[in-house]
Amino acid sequence: MPPNPAVWQDNRGQRADGGSFFSRAELPGQVVASGVEVRTVPSALYPTVSSALLAPRLALKESSRCQPLMIRVLPGVYHEHLHVTEPVVIVGAGKELPVIWGVGREGITVSGSAASSCVLRRLRLCAEAGCHSLCVKDASPLIESCELVGSGGDPVRGAPAGLDVKGSDSRPIVRGCRILDHAGAGVAFSDAAGGLVGTSEISRCACGLWLEGGSNPLIWRNTVACHRGAGVVVRANGRGCILGNRILNNGAGGVLVESSRRAATVIVQNKIWANSGCDLRQGPSTNGLAAGLSGTLLFANTVGQQDNGPSTNQGIDLVASWPKRVVSSTAELLAAVQEAPGDRIVLIEIQGCLTLEEPLVLDRPVVLAGEPILAGSHAPSGASARGELRAGPKAAAVVVVEDGADAIGLWRLRLVLPPHELRRATASCVEASGSPVIVDCDLDASYSPPRNSFAAGDCSALTHAVRASGPSSHPVLIECLLRRAQGSGLLLLERASALLIRCRLSSNNQGGALIAEGASLMAESCEISGNGHFGVVVGTKSGPVLLGRTDLANNASGSMWHCGGENASSSLSWLDQCSLTGAPAASSSTVSPAVLVGSFASMALWDCMASAMQGDAIPLRAEAASHTLVAGDGPTLGWQGWASMASGPSLGQGDVTWIDVSGASPPMPTQKPLAQSRPMSAASAGSAGYPQTSSSRSGWTDAFRGRLSPQPQPAQQSKGKREPRIPLQEPPARHDGGHGRERVDRNAVTDAPIDAQNLRTDPSAHPEKTIGLNIGEEAEPSSEVPSKWAEEDLDTDATPQEKDVSHDVQPQPAGGHESWLKSRMESQRQDWCDQEAERRTLFEILSMLALKDNCKDVPDSIGLGGKIMPNDPVLLRGHTGRWMGLKDGKDLICQAPDRAGAETMLAEFKGTALKHDARVSFRLTSSIGGATMWLGVSQSGDVGLVPNGTEPAARFVLRRTPPATLLSGMAVYLKSSANGKLVEVDGSDVRAKGSMEGTRQRIVVEKIPAQDAVPAPCDDFDLSDNQKSWVYLRGAQLALLDKQNLARFLASHKAHCKALLKAYTTLWESEWRRQWRTTLEEDSAPSSPGSRQSSRSGSVGAGGATSDSARPRARSRGRMTKREWIMGMVGGTSSTADDKSNGNLFVSAMRSFFANAIKMSQLEADPVQRVIEAFAEALVADASFLSCFSNSMLPEKERKTYKTPDEVIFGLSYTTLMLNTDMHNKQVAQKMWDTKKFVGAGKDCGVTGGLMAEIFKHVQSEEL
């Protein structure tokens, strides 16, 4: 697709209200409006979408949980590799939709729970042949008014879908979109994914929608047309609710449902006609029942088959071939239910009014109908003609749906629960532990209290229209009426989930719906009004709640209350285009807020506030520590939008963020900017991050098109004096989506207010030179800027402290090394580790020790290499301890046993020293022909050689934790600019395929120091074992010794080595213990449901402490829960909170010791045993650790092989190391461990099976 510069200017349209989408904010590209950071693409600061997405965010909020960011994308054509993992709103701004071509097979990806509040709006997402337009993995974004366009082509089985949704945590909301021209399905759901596809157009694909793998989405009011295959395909293991769609002109039927069903699918009130073959079609039955007999609930669909002649494959009609029984008495009804087979659906038509003395229990596939089910008719009939079921005086429910029951339907019934003095405390019309489908039913709990009355004496029982509980409960209610309950109309408990479509919840005394105990709700186009209390109440520990286009007006206390609380879940409650109103106060004419957000709760209100802000009403109250996002499409928001430069009206101390998602440009602050953008010429556009309109592309580069097309116009030359550059705060780094180098623009307009405390007015703060610091003073140009680089491309981010200051490294005076060692051991500060002189002193002591202990191979001078400068020669080393080199002169492998066999590379980057977030290339000379090559990433993810160092395939973004300047011997993560993946070492293979930072992704960058930089050993002096262990441990942390050789020395059979090994492990444990002091010191505290620390441990000693709130707390074992008791009886494994905490704790200790303090690969059995024994003794010697860990140890009588605590830790450590080798070493051909065997080994080790299961999960997810 050739770039067309005219497109850029032609698409700069006007807003519908006459305002411009553009303002002076376009020039810097970054404005803070209403407390929201708004970035504009393209702009001088953010030339591409990926640069705006990856750049560090401004610290506008105290909590990172609700960090606002909005990206406005101006019309144009972009080629991007976008991987969204954080909350962000990306919206197209302009009359035309911006076009974003995804790079790679997955196209644009949205993944992770953190991206669940992500929004994509008014974008055209295009996919190349064989690629997805958008992939959603375990996330729940909102995708609104977008176009997902493919490249066409003949349909191929297995071809990628336009929108691919995977993962049990995926619940995307797709509304008002167009999805077309894909060689695969338009939308594909798999791996237990859910969500909503509503009011969208899906056309011209291989098929419209593809449902498999237990996926259960709502397909609601879409147009599915003109596909080469079927409009909707439901595999045998797919679920789904297909409701109210128009499905027409498809080549292989309208809806195709595979037979031999393993899940239930609901197909209700669709218009399916003019398709080739059968409109409703089922697959042939090979080893089970046909779909029309089992697993498919069909109600009121309109069909009109089109016959294209004898050559058309008609298929098999999908019709409800259910055996039918008509009952008119209670006895006949009970008999019909009891006699129904368990493998197929039976239709039971109820005539008249039947009274049930006991609840009607449904545990097999039946459909109870109050009227005849007629195809093509779904108009509601009079209530008097319907069948009715009434509960008797002692019945706790009218209908009970058992756990696990599927394919159960209720059609046009009236279920009545009349009040009675003999009824027990709670009762409901429908008690659901299974998954019933309830269509057009009247659920009357028969409670008629006075308006706003909550008196318990008005009725002897707390009644509900529907009560669902349990993780297997997934009721679907379509066009139902839930009314007159003394309690809530809908009550969801114990991780149940419900789907409500066009339902009405009214006249319920204690609210329309109550969601608690991990339950979740999705409601679409419902009316929840006229209830006592709030319309919807979301409990403290509820799951996700989505209310779309729902009327929540005229409830007694308000529209919605999210209770929150300190133990509130992190699930987001999302209100999308709902109608909200508050409630009038009893003692005044004021109106209470429509929405109440409790402490620690999270909520998003999307285009909901217009109705709630009529008059002087305050629509929202947010309590302290809550997070609320309020968004609207311009004027419909009910506030002045960006023009007000302030948040909308709300009460409380919570965090409320207001954003305008119309695409309008935020105005600039009224204050005078401190600086203006630096003029940029067309000649410098390429170096500034703007891609050129013409460039050669060959080889791998065709797969990594990260350039923006067309090229934006350069900024005009400003006239007059330049404003001085005053660094008020650390500016964000700039990215260009995989092309160009990192840049920092200190000339960008800063929206932060001027703070005199931040101005560096002390000339001594800049020892090199002093520049103009007063407002209006012109900065003198520096003659130190090389002419071949633009000034803005320099590493201006470096502070004077980071830059090399020329100084002489003076040797320690006589006796100075001993006093230096004592002072450093007594000091708690670790900032000395990065100083060259301090490292030299430590190395001198270490070298002296190696001579005394006869272990000359232990010291390693690689840690003396210092900072990595441009074009410095470096070596790359994997986590396996091997170095990277070339095989056959072209293939990169990580197999060199020493540095002599490693490949030397030159590090190319901009700036004075290599540091975190820098963009770097590695240049080397190939042994074939002597050509200059660069490390690069191919389309398949393999790391090899490429001929062009300017292509994105040869660019890497360096990541380091914590962010700082890189010193030789430090471990980093290298992220490819081509595919956005991290480089990892798998055996000897080097690939870029993962996104998570872990063991395999750690790459050590080594710079061999100059010969004169390696000092001689210091003078001999005596050291204690504690002092020796401190020197060795610090040397391991600072890459001043070889950890493999250190392990070989410490684990030798010599007596002094055994004592030294004990002192070394004891010192390590005391420093590792600081990271887990909350766990180890509060061993009897109750467990908190808060977040738990990752099992990955930082480096020992100087690694930095972990916050107390992130650490698990131990708790006493206490009484087993019912689930734990049942799992134990059947031989299963159930991890308690203690097992989870201790599993995390133990694996963290192993990672810290065996990866950071010592390395045992290639050691013999006896040295390995001695190291593990010392490791176990160090942990057991810590009484607080043992007190915590004993909660996961079996009683002593049940321990088979290892009895004492130190034996238990030894056996568990040894077994875990065997598991790690078995699972992650490619040389192990026959695997000996699986989950069952490893958990079973817990009895031999003397620990619980739950702890073993937790350790197995940790090791399986990441190598030790």
Side-chain angles (χ1 to χ4, degrees):
M1 181 178 297
N4 179 11
V7 176
W8 177 265
Q9 298 178 354
D10 292 343
N11 286 348
R12 298 182 65 140
Q14 300 292 317
R15 250 185 20 227
D17 58 1
S20 174
F21 282 98
F22 303 88
S23 73
R24 290 186 296 137
E26 292 344 324
L27 190 59
Q30 183 181 39
V31 169
V32 177
S34 303
V36 182
E37 183 182 359
V38 183
R39 299 174 178 176
T40 300
V41 177
S43 60
L45 192 58
Y46 305 111
T48 61
V49 182
S50 56
S51 66
L53 182 64
L54 295 176
R57 303 188 180 187
L58 298 179
L60 302 176
K61 304 283 184 179
E62 293 182 0
S63 171
S64 59
R65 182 181 173 189
C66 187
Q67 181 69 28
L69 175 63
M70 179 175 175
I71 299 176
R72 299 172 57 248
V73 185
L74 303 181
V77 182
Y78 306 77
H79 294 269
E80 303 272 356
H81 186 285
L82 296 181
H83 186 190
V84 182
T85 58
E86 297 178 344
V88 62
V89 177
I90 305 178
V91 57
K95 191 174 181 180
E96 301 290 336
L97 299 183
V99 179
I100 303 178
W101 286 82
V103 175
R105 177 178 173 83
E106 292 187 344
I108 299 170
T109 59
V110 180
S111 63
S113 59
S116 291
S117 53
C118 165
V119 177
L120 304 179
R121 190 169 193 264
R122 299 193 73 252
L123 304 171
R124 181 176 290 122
L125 310 179
C126 298
E128 296 183 348
C131 302
H132 302 284
S133 288
L134 178 64
C135 288
V136 177
K137 300 178 181 179
D138 291 317
S140 304
L142 172 63
I143 306 164
E144 186 178 57
S145 303
C146 292
E147 292 184 2
L148 280 65
V149 185
S151 297
D154 294 329
V156 179
R157 186 175 181 84
L163 172 59
D164 189 47
V165 184
K166 295 181 178 180
S168 58
D169 293 331
S170 289
R171 298 290 186 273
I173 307 302
V174 183
R175 193 188 300 280
C177 295
R178 295 181 67 234
I179 305 172
L180 64 157
D181 292 336
H182 294 279
V187 183
F189 288 86
S190 60
D191 298 339
L196 165 68
V197 180
T199 60
S200 297
E201 176 187 333
I202 309 171
S203 61
R204 303 202 305 264
C205 303
C207 70
L209 297 110
W210 182 278
L211 280 59
E212 65 177 352
S215 59
N216 191 21
L218 170 61
I219 313 301
W220 160 247
R221 297 185 65 186
N222 302 281
T223 298
V224 185
C226 303
H227 300 287
R228 285 153 287 186
V232 181
V233 177
V234 184
R235 301 295 303 272
N237 56 358
R239 299 176 64 88
C241 180
I242 306 168
L243 174 64
N245 301 280
R246 297 194 308 161
I247 306 174
L248 65 155
N249 293 328
N250 297 288
V255 177
L256 172 61
V257 181
E258 285 189 357
S259 294
S260 305
R261 305 289 301 153
R262 298 189 294 274
T265 298
V266 181
I267 305 175
V268 180
Q269 297 178 358
N270 299 280
K271 296 181 179 180
I272 311 171
W273 76 96
N275 300 283
S276 297
C278 299
D279 290 309
L280 278 171
R281 182 177 178 181
Q282 60 183 337
S285 177
T286 56
N287 56 355
L289 296 174
L293 291 173
S294 176
T296 307
L297 293 174
L298 300 165
F299 297 105
N301 297 285
T302 301
V303 297
Q305 179 176 328
Q306 174 182 343
D307 187 357
N308 290 334
S311 61
T312 302
N313 182 10
Q314 301 293 333
I316 305 173
D317 272 325
L318 174 60
V319 294
S321 305
W322 306 331
K324 178 181 176 181
R325 294 186 62 171
V326 179
V327 299
S328 57
S329 67
T330 303
E332 292 176 348
L333 174 61
L334 296 176
V337 172
Q338 293 174 0
E339 294 170 4
D343 60 349
R344 66 190 66 192
I345 300 174
V346 173
L347 172 62
I348 302 175
E349 186 177 313
I350 299 173
Q351 295 181 347
C353 178
L354 307 182
T355 300
L356 303 170
E357 297 299 327
E358 297 291 338
L360 178 63
V361 179
L362 303 179
D363 57 356
R364 58 198 67 196
V366 296
V367 173
L368 304 182
E371 294 180 5
I373 298 179
L374 302 176
S377 174
H378 58 270
S381 62
S384 59
R386 294 185 176 184
E388 180 176 325
L389 296 178
R390 299 178 66 90
K394 297 183 180 181
V398 181
V399 173
V400 175
V401 181
E402 288 287 329
D403 186 6
D406 211 346
I408 292 178
L410 304 179
W411 164 261
R412 287 188 180 168
L413 279 171
R414 187 166 186 260
L415 276 61
V416 181
L417 189 70
H420 199 279
E421 60 181 352
L422 298 179
R423 198 176 311 284
R424 66 179 191 178
T426 59
S428 56
C429 295
V430 177
E431 179 82 19
S433 298
S435 304
V437 178
I438 308 173
V439 182
D440 198 7
C441 291
D442 181 5
L443 309 178
D444 184 2
S446 291
Y447 173 65
S448 302
R451 177 69 172 170
N452 301 338
S453 172
F454 293 93
D458 289 337
C459 186
S460 59
L462 186 64
T463 61
H464 308 282
V466 176
R467 184 181 188 274
S469 61
S472 300
S473 180
H474 310 288
V476 177
L477 288 83
I478 302 171
E479 294 187 352
C480 292
L481 176 60
L482 286 68
R483 58 186 178 126
R484 299 204 297 177
Q486 184 192 9
S488 302
L490 173 66
L491 178 63
L492 301 177
L493 303 170
E494 299 175 2
R495 296 170 56 196
S497 62
L499 173 62
L500 274 63
I501 309 295
R502 284 185 174 176
C503 292
R504 182 183 177 189
L505 286 70
S506 65
S507 303
N508 299 290
N509 191 41
Q510 296 188 7
L514 172 61
I515 304 99
E517 299 177 7
S520 59
L521 171 66
M522 176 186 290
E524 184 72 17
S525 300
C526 295
E527 180 184 346
I528 306 177
S529 61
N531 299 283
H533 205 36
F534 286 82
V536 176
V537 177
V538 181
T540 298
K541 297 183 179 180
S542 66
V545 175
L546 169 69
L547 306 179
R549 304 190 184 188
T550 294
D551 184 4
L552 293 164
N554 301 321
N555 295 286
S557 299
S559 295
M560 186 171 182
W561 176 25
H562 195 316
C563 297
E566 292 185 356
N567 297 325
S569 68
S570 59
S571 299
L572 181 70
S573 295
W574 193 292
L575 274 64
D576 184 6
Q577 303 178 44
C578 295
S579 177
L580 310 174
T581 60
S587 58
S588 65
S589 59
T590 61
V591 178
S592 64
V595 178
L596 176 60
V597 185
S599 300
F600 302 98
S602 298
M603 179 174 289
L605 304 174
W606 193 263
D607 204 7
C608 296
M609 306 305 287
S611 60
M613 298 182 65
Q614 297 178 358
D616 297 330
I618 302 297
L620 173 67
R621 180 179 182 87
E623 302 294 345
S626 64
H627 302 278
T628 307
L629 174 69
V630 185
D633 193 0
T636 62
L637 185 61
W639 65 298
Q640 296 180 7
W642 294 139
S644 67
M645 292 298 294
S647 296
S650 62
L651 300 175
Q653 301 299 317
D655 178 20
V656 182
T657 302
W658 297 68
I659 63 174
D660 183 350
V661 295
S662 65
S665 173
M668 291 292 294
T670 56
Q671 66 185 46
K672 179 181 178 180
L674 296 177
Q676 295 179 1
S677 293
R678 183 181 184 275
M680 177 172 56
S681 62
S684 64
S687 62
Y690 292 110
Q692 303 301 306
T693 56
S694 62
S695 63
S696 59
R697 293 183 292 179
S698 59
W700 291 349
T701 60
D702 289 337
F704 303 110
R705 294 184 296 169
R707 53 182 59 85
L708 167 66
S709 173
Q711 175 183 345
Q713 301 298 320
Q716 298 297 321
Q717 176 75 30
S718 60
K719 298 181 180 180
K721 275 190 174 182
R722 282 183 51 194
E723 295 285 351
R725 295 184 295 160
I726 302 176
L728 296 181
Q729 58 185 0
E730 189 70 8
R734 294 185 56 183
H735 303 265
D736 62 354
H739 297 265
R741 299 171 176 85
E742 175 185 332
R743 301 182 296 110
V744 176
D745 190 354
R746 289 188 180 270
N747 293 328
V749 174
T750 304
D751 294 308
I754 300 176
D755 186 356
Q757 299 296 327
N758 291 333
L759 297 178
R760 297 181 180 179
T761 58
D762 184 7
S764 63
H766 298 269
E768 299 89 343
K769 59 182 179 178
T770 302
I771 63 173
L773 294 176
N774 298 323
I775 299 297
E777 179 181 347
E778 182 174 358
E780 294 294 331
S782 173
S783 60
E784 301 176 9
V785 179
S787 58
K788 66 177 182 177
W789 299 116
E791 180 181 349
E792 59 185 1
D793 281 332
L794 289 180
D795 188 9
T796 58
D797 192 54
T799 62
Q801 291 78 8
E802 293 176 333
K803 296 181 179 179
D804 287 334
V805 180
S806 59
H807 60 275
D808 296 330
V809 180
Q810 301 293 337
Q812 291 285 347
H817 290 85
E818 188 173 2
S819 60
W820 178 92
L821 178 60
K822 291 180 180 179
S823 65
R824 295 301 179 270
M825 290 182 65
E826 293 172 357
S827 175
Q828 298 296 325
R829 299 182 58 183
Q830 298 293 338
D831 53 356
W832 61 269
C833 297
D834 294 337
Q835 301 178 21
E836 181 182 352
E838 301 284 331
R839 287 184 173 231
R840 286 174 60 92
T841 302
L842 178 62
F843 186 82
E844 291 168 356
I845 300 174
L846 190 60
S847 300
M848 180 269 294
L849 274 180
L851 292 176
K852 288 172 64 75
D853 292 333
N854 195 22
C855 54
K856 298 180 182 180
D857 57 347
V858 170
D860 190 347
S861 62
I862 205 69
L864 299 176
K867 298 180 181 180
I868 312 295
M869 303 299 181
N871 295 315
D872 272 349
V874 296
L875 305 176
L876 301 182
R877 191 177 188 181
H879 73 284
T880 57
R882 302 278 178 146
W883 284 264
M884 296 186 187
L886 293 180
K887 179 181 180 182
D888 300 331
K890 57 180 180 179
D891 298 324
L892 186 71
I893 59 174
C894 188
Q895 203 171 10
D898 52 29
R899 294 188 178 96
E903 192 69 28
T904 302
M905 313 172 193
L906 300 182
E908 296 182 339
F909 58 94
K910 293 289 184 66
T912 59
L914 192 59
K915 59 184 178 180
H916 171 75
D917 225 19
R919 298 190 179 274
V920 60
S921 300
F922 298 97
R923 174 164 56 92
L924 65 160
T925 302
S926 174
S927 60
I928 301 179
T932 300
M933 308 290 284
W934 285 262
L935 284 191
V937 179
S938 68
Q939 186 175 4
S940 62
D942 295 329
V943 180
L945 300 183
V946 296
N948 191 347
T950 62
E951 292 294 332
R955 301 280 183 89
F956 300 90
V957 179
L958 186 143
R959 303 282 188 183
R960 183 175 179 266
T961 304
T965 300
L966 176 67
L967 300 178
S968 175
M970 288 184 174
V972 300
Y973 302 96
L974 296 177
K975 181 179 179 181
S976 172
S977 295
N979 61 6
K981 304 298 183 181
L982 294 175
V983 176
E984 66 180 42
V985 176
D986 185 8
S988 62
D989 299 331
V990 184
R991 301 189 182 95
K993 65 176 185 178
S995 301
M996 299 294 294
E997 296 181 354
T999 301
R1000 291 187 176 186
Q1001 290 74 29
R1002 284 200 292 267
I1003 307 295
V1004 177
V1005 181
E1006 298 182 346
K1007 174 185 174 182
I1008 299 178
Q1011 186 174 0
D1012 58 356
V1014 181
C1018 68
D1019 295 337
D1020 190 3
F1021 65 94
D1022 294 332
L1023 286 82
S1024 65
D1025 286 341
N1026 289 336
Q1027 289 176 321
K1028 289 181 180 180
S1029 61
W1030 187 92
V1031 172
Y1032 284 129
L1033 188 57
R1034 293 295 171 266
Q1037 295 170 6
L1038 302 179
L1040 295 176
L1041 58 77
D1042 188 293
K1043 289 182 284 188
Q1044 178 71 51
N1045 295 332
L1046 176 66
R1048 187 177 291 109
F1049 163 68
L1050 293 177
S1052 66
H1053 62 280
K1054 299 178 181 180
H1056 74 282
C1057 292
K1058 183 177 180 179
L1060 185 57
L1061 176 60
K1062 181 178 180 179
Y1064 186 82
T1065 53
T1066 302
L1067 177 62
W1068 159 82
E1069 197 278 337
S1070 66
E1071 296 185 352
W1072 167 81
R1073 184 182 186 277
R1074 298 173 191 170
Q1075 304 176 16
W1076 294 85
R1077 64 180 182 272
T1078 303
T1079 301
L1080 300 177
E1081 293 172 359
E1082 302 182 14
D1083 53 318
S1084 61
S1087 178
S1088 170
S1091 61
R1092 300 185 180 272
Q1093 177 181 347
S1094 170
S1095 62
R1096 300 173 188 163
S1097 174
S1099 61
V1100 290
T1106 308
S1107 62
D1108 293 348
S1109 62
R1111 300 187 187 94
R1113 301 172 183 262
R1115 67 176 181 182
S1116 57
R1117 177 167 294 274
R1119 184 177 179 181
M1120 294 181 64
T1121 64
K1122 182 178 179 181
R1123 173 178 171 81
E1124 293 170 5
W1125 181 83
I1126 295 175
M1127 293 297 294
M1129 292 295 294
V1130 300
T1133 303
S1134 179
S1135 299
T1136 64
D1138 291 320
D1139 294 334
K1140 293 179 180 179
S1141 176
N1142 288 326
N1144 204 8
L1145 181 72
F1146 179 75
V1147 172
S1148 171
M1150 295 201 67
R1151 290 193 196 281
S1152 176
F1153 184 73
F1154 293 106
N1156 298 324
I1158 210 167
K1159 196 170 182 66
M1160 292 200 311
S1161 60
Q1162 303 176 5
L1163 288 186
E1164 297 178 354
D1166 289 342
V1168 169
Q1169 180 175 342
R1170 283 190 282 269
V1171 171
I1172 299 178
E1173 286 176 348
F1175 171 75
E1177 290 175 2
L1179 291 179
V1180 174
D1182 188 341
S1184 56
F1185 170 84
L1186 188 60
S1187 176
C1188 177
F1189 193 79
S1190 61
N1191 291 330
S1192 295
M1193 295 172 61
L1194 293 173
E1196 188 171 355
K1197 295 182 180 179
E1198 299 180 16
R1199 305 172 193 168
K1200 290 186 178 181
T1201 304
Y1202 302 100
K1203 303 292 185 179
T1204 62
D1206 54 344
E1207 290 177 349
V1208 170
I1209 300 297
F1210 171 83
L1212 182 60
S1213 302
Y1214 207 107
T1215 306
T1216 303
L1217 290 174
M1218 293 173 60
L1219 172 68
N1220 185 71
T1221 302
D1222 182 80
M1223 189 171 291
H1224 296 287
N1225 194 330
K1226 287 188 173 182
Q1227 297 179 356
V1228 180
Q1230 186 175 359
K1231 306 297 183 181
M1232 61 176 294
W1233 291 108
D1234 57 18
T1235 306
K1236 184 177 180 180
K1237 289 183 180 180
F1238 189 77
V1239 171
K1243 293 183 178 180
D1244 294 325
C1245 296
V1247 296
T1248 62
L1251 177 65
M1252 299 295 284
E1254 291 299 317
I1255 295 175
F1256 187 92
K1257 293 177 184 178
H1258 285 299
V1259 177
Q1260 185 181 41
S1261 62
E1262 182 182 345
E1263 185 177 358
L1264 291 177

